[in-house]
Amino acid sequence: MKKVFIIDTIRTAVGKRNGVFSRTRPDDLLVHCLRALVQRNNSVDWERVGDHIAGCAMPEAEQGLNVARSAVLLAGLPQAISGMTVNRFCASGLQAVSLAADKIMLGNEDLMIASGVESMSQVPMGGNKPSFNQKVFTNQDAVGIAWGMGSTAEEVSVRFSVTRQEQDAFAFESHRRAINAQEKGYFTDEIIPFTVERHSVVDNKLQTNTQQVLKDEGPRADSTLEALAKLKPVFAGQGSVTAGNSSQMSDGAGAVLLASEEAVKAYQLTPKAIFHGYTVAGLDPKIMGVGPIKAIPKLLDQVKISLDAIDWIELNEAFAAQSLAVIKELKLDQAKVNPQGGAIALGHPLGATGAIRTATIVSALRRNKLRFGIVSMCIGTGMGAAGLFESCS
């Protein structure tokens, strides 16, 4: 199997649902990322890129019609680059990275683009016309598919004995870490500025106002434990899952350029990381949030590495309840988990998250002179995913 090198990772800032990117088409966010990849890697012969694989959890409407191929053409990349859109819900962006890496590992391609994109402002959770097979409701093995994500988080909190106080403390720490990372400029090298235009008519004249989006919109410097404790449960009357200890619905995009060793030499590229492997695993949909409990050990076994060797873990915070359950069950070092905050503070644009967190972990490993990192997340309908990265610094 050939080595797979991560040459570049790039992302937009993450906007809140109905926030800064609410009127920006998701395909425009993805196009912006692809153009930036080209500008930053001008030694590459882009005609030689084998494919562009884009992850999207709700691939319809403004992010439908095979957004991967559309983005290639709209970005002005060579028409020779094909495109494929993949959907594994919250792991779609990471799945795209893995599929792109597979083509290189097998020797079928030397250059690949992987990406993720999602607008939860323009395409709602579940899409515009969710339609469950009615047999789901009479099948106890499958009924969890129809449970809302918040209901699965409540189930996890009960089964894994995660208290409301623990969840709120975890959420507060997510915001604290994210604000600290923003203030220290840790996200600067992975985020590309995006200019949002707003048009209005004043005195019968068209006016255009612009805003350059440079940082994630979600982190709150004013978050406090007292404020979090006052929030009411959202999904169960006597529950513990609130809007404050859940991930934010968000908009964003990210892209990754991958290459073989031959391409690295041919185009005189400087790799940032090596992609070693990826796994997915299934479990009861009612506790979908603990999917990483299955996926991370499976990944470590696949790549023959111990958990102690992992220096950094980007564990997507769908909910504080599921994050804490995973941390407890796998005995993860909390100092290594989301040191710069997670989705509770930074947002979770579903299918884009895997590509975005790839940008974060590659940057963080290099900046901190660390070696191994894992990106992992739970997935709707009862799955977990995990990918292993090694810094080249």
Side-chain angles (χ1 to χ4, degrees):
M1 302 287 277
K2 293 190 174 184
K3 276 188 178 181
V4 179
F5 293 97
I6 305 292
I7 303 304
D8 203 2
T9 57
I10 210 164
R11 71 176 180 95
T12 67
V14 175
K16 290 182 178 181
R17 180 174 179 268
N18 298 326
V20 68
F21 290 142
S22 61
R23 298 183 206 172
T24 302
R25 287 183 61 100
D27 49 3
D28 284 340
L29 294 176
L30 182 54
V31 164
H32 190 62
C33 288
L34 296 186
R35 286 176 176 163
L37 272 187
V38 173
Q39 292 168 1
R40 287 170 36 148
N41 299 277
N42 54 24
S43 69
V44 169
D45 180 357
W46 291 91
E47 293 276 356
R48 304 291 297 176
V49 172
D51 204 356
H52 168 220
I53 304 175
C56 183
M58 305 298 157
E60 58 176 89
E62 292 88 349
Q63 55 200 30
L65 302 173
N66 192 5
V67 68
R69 173 62 174 168
S70 299
V72 163
L73 299 175
L74 290 170
L77 271 67
Q79 293 180 352
I81 302 176
S82 50
M84 175 175 70
T85 305
V86 298
N87 176 12
R88 199 188 284 276
F89 288 164
C90 299
S92 298
L94 188 59
Q95 182 70 59
V97 173
S98 175
L99 289 172
D102 287 347
K103 298 285 281 185
I104 295 172
M105 282 183 184
L106 294 172
N108 293 329
E109 301 291 350
D110 286 311
L111 290 164
M112 294 285 293
I113 302 171
S115 68
V117 63
E118 202 83 35
S119 173
M120 300 183 77
S121 294
Q122 300 196 10
V123 182
M125 176 99 65
N128 292 304
K129 187 187 174 184
S131 179
F132 292 106
N133 187 316
Q134 294 301 302
K135 296 183 180 66
V136 163
F137 300 99
T138 58
N139 183 327
Q140 285 303 305
D141 288 335
V143 69
I145 293 173
W147 282 28
M149 297 294 101
S151 297
T152 68
E154 287 287 5
E155 183 71 12
V156 166
S157 71
V158 172
R159 289 201 201 183
F160 292 85
S161 302
V162 182
T163 68
R164 167 68 185 271
Q165 290 73 23
E166 288 176 312
Q167 293 174 59
D168 287 348
F170 185 86
F172 173 76
E173 181 65 5
S174 182
H175 282 281
R176 190 196 68 78
R177 292 183 179 190
I179 290 293
N180 178 66
Q182 285 186 331
E183 290 177 346
K184 292 184 176 178
Y186 292 161
F187 297 120
T188 303
D189 63 343
E190 65 192 65
I191 294 177
I192 49 169
F194 187 96
T195 301
V196 174
E197 292 187 353
R198 293 282 188 266
H199 303 286
S200 59
V201 176
V202 179
D203 296 330
N204 294 322
K205 293 182 180 180
L206 179 65
Q207 290 190 351
T208 300
N209 296 312
T210 61
Q211 175 186 357
Q212 195 172 54
V213 184
L214 298 168
K215 67 177 186 177
D216 299 315
E217 194 178 13
R220 296 188 57 165
D222 61 350
S223 179
T224 65
L225 285 171
E226 292 75 19
L228 288 166
K230 292 177 182 178
L231 296 175
K232 294 182 179 180
V234 178
F235 306 102
Q238 301 302 313
S240 59
V241 180
T242 71
N245 57 39
S246 305
S247 61
Q248 301 179 34
M249 291 187 281
S250 314
D251 310 325
V256 182
L257 176 62
L258 304 93
S260 67
E261 191 168 6
E262 290 80 2
V264 167
K265 293 177 181 177
Y267 303 116
Q268 298 181 333
L269 304 174
T270 302
K272 293 183 175 180
I274 300 169
F275 182 78
H276 282 290
Y278 169 82
T279 58
V280 289
L283 75 166
D284 184 351
K286 299 188 191 73
I287 53 169
M288 69 92 201
V290 295
I293 289 176
K294 301 289 186 180
I296 291 176
K298 185 178 177 181
L299 174 68
L300 295 173
D301 182 64
Q302 178 191 90
V303 298
K304 307 304 178 189
I305 193 172
S306 71
L307 183 59
D308 290 340
I310 304 302
D311 301 302
W312 191 290
I313 300 172
E314 286 292 315
L315 178 66
N316 187 46
E317 298 169 359
F319 300 92
Q322 58 84 209
S323 299
L324 286 164
V326 171
I327 289 168
K328 289 180 178 182
E329 287 298 302
L330 294 181
K331 297 180 173 59
L332 303 180
D333 181 348
Q334 290 205 47
K336 295 181 179 181
V337 177
N338 302 344
Q340 297 172 179
I344 291 173
L346 296 168
H348 176 28
L350 299 182
T353 291
I356 289 171
R357 295 281 71 86
T358 294
T360 297
I361 202 164
V362 169
S363 174
L365 290 174
R366 288 169 60 80
R367 184 178 59 255
N368 293 284
K369 295 180 171 53
L370 301 174
R371 186 176 181 186
F372 290 113
I374 285 176
V375 174
S376 184
M377 64 275 291
C378 59
I379 310 169
T381 70
M383 294 181 283
L388 179 67
F389 299 81
E390 180 183 0
S391 177
C392 287
S393 62

